Amino acid sequence: MMHFADSLTFSGRKVVAAWAALPFPALSGSSLPDILSAHQQGMPWKLLSSGREQKVSCCFAQSVVLRGICQEKSSSCPGQPPSPLHSCESPEQVLQQFLHTQFPGAFSTSHVLQQPCDTRPPFPQFFSPFLTRRGFLLDKAQGFSSAGVESVPVLAALQSSPVLHWLLSGLCRELQAPNVRRWSSFCTAGLEQDDFQEALEELKTLSQCYETGFGADGSEDEADSE
């Protein structure tokens, strides 16, 4: 995982954030271009890394995997394709085109796998009754419980993005709050105050590598630097 993260980082960046949509919201029987076209206003995933919910509008690099969608039927679109996604020849091209539209200029790698995520026991059964046994969305609740969901489509990603500026700077603020000299366990573990301060400075410098200069929380960052 460390080497994989390294392949997505550059310009002094060292960490990536994890995102996932489980299940990926898709109507049963829809084609991949139809499904992704319904999410043009934003990615439906959630941030798995610790921190408040963030909306990602740009990123530096990412690796995205979509599972359990490509086996759905292809969209039959006579005449002019309704969108550029419908003009793609393969599921991989569809996903790559979608990522290019969502994150123009970002380095993106993508994979589309036919096999969905297996959710049979002992997988936690926390799914909505609006899912089929294969994890696709229904217009109305089904007659059996969510325990009947045997698999789900999943969208997952590792991403180097400005979200990490907020996450890392928040961690730095939390570490600055306690006075390590008052905690004997730090001293007995061999932690030196100078080493601790040096690590904090390195963490602050790392967080600055993810700044874009136009973040929504720019005023908060300026206050922290003061």
Side-chain angles (χ1 to χ4, degrees):
M1 183 60 73
M2 180 180 65
H3 295 299
F4 186 46
D6 285 343
S7 68
L8 298 174
T9 54
F10 45 84
S11 301
R13 306 179 186 109
K14 298 180 180 180
V15 296
V16 292
W19 302 79
L22 192 160
F24 180 72
L27 289 173
S28 179
S30 298
S31 69
L32 182 56
D34 291 337
I35 293 169
L36 293 180
S37 295
H39 299 288
Q40 293 286 1
Q41 300 303 315
M43 302 297 287
W45 54 30
K46 299 291 184 180
L47 181 64
L48 301 183
S49 303
S50 176
R52 69 185 179 186
E53 185 63 26
Q54 297 279 318
K55 182 178 180 181
V56 179
S57 58
C58 66
C59 76
F60 310 115
Q62 62 184 346
S63 178
V64 181
V65 176
L66 179 62
R67 297 181 55 177
I69 294 291
C70 61
Q71 73 269 30
E72 292 299 287
K73 66 177 184 180
S74 300
S75 178
S76 57
C77 304
Q80 186 70 20
S83 75
L85 295 179
H86 291 83
S87 302
C88 298
E89 298 180 356
S90 67
E92 289 77 12
Q93 291 180 0
V94 173
L95 181 57
Q96 190 68 28
Q97 175 66 31
F98 176 76
L99 295 175
H100 176 73
T101 302
Q102 293 290 316
F103 305 100
F107 170 74
S108 298
T109 64
S110 59
H111 302 277
V112 179
L113 306 178
Q114 182 172 347
Q115 183 179 8
C117 178
D118 189 356
T119 57
R120 290 172 294 185
F123 196 94
Q125 299 301 308
F126 48 64
F127 298 108
S128 164
F130 288 89
L131 293 181
T132 68
R133 293 186 183 275
R134 292 175 55 203
F136 291 96
L137 296 175
L138 294 170
D139 293 330
K140 60 181 180 179
Q142 56 191 352
F144 55 90
S145 68
S146 60
V149 178
E150 299 176 352
S151 64
V152 294
V154 177
L155 179 69
L158 291 179
Q159 190 179 75
S160 174
S161 74
V163 166
L164 285 157
H165 168 63
W166 186 89
L167 293 176
L168 294 172
S169 59
L171 176 59
C172 189
R173 287 192 300 270
E174 293 178 4
L175 291 174
Q176 286 175 329
N179 184 353
V180 296
R181 293 175 179 174
R182 300 181 58 183
W183 299 89
S184 60
S185 58
F186 284 101
C187 298
T188 55
L191 177 65
E192 297 290 342
Q193 182 69 23
D194 291 343
D195 294 338
F196 181 69
Q197 291 300 325
E198 181 180 352
L200 283 180
E201 288 301 319
E202 291 178 353
L203 183 60
K204 183 177 181 180
T205 300
L206 179 60
S207 72
Q208 292 170 348
C209 293
Y210 294 88
E211 287 185 291
T212 58
F214 52 87
D217 54 351
S219 60
E220 179 184 342
D221 299 332
E222 293 176 1
D224 294 334
S225 63
E226 296 174 0

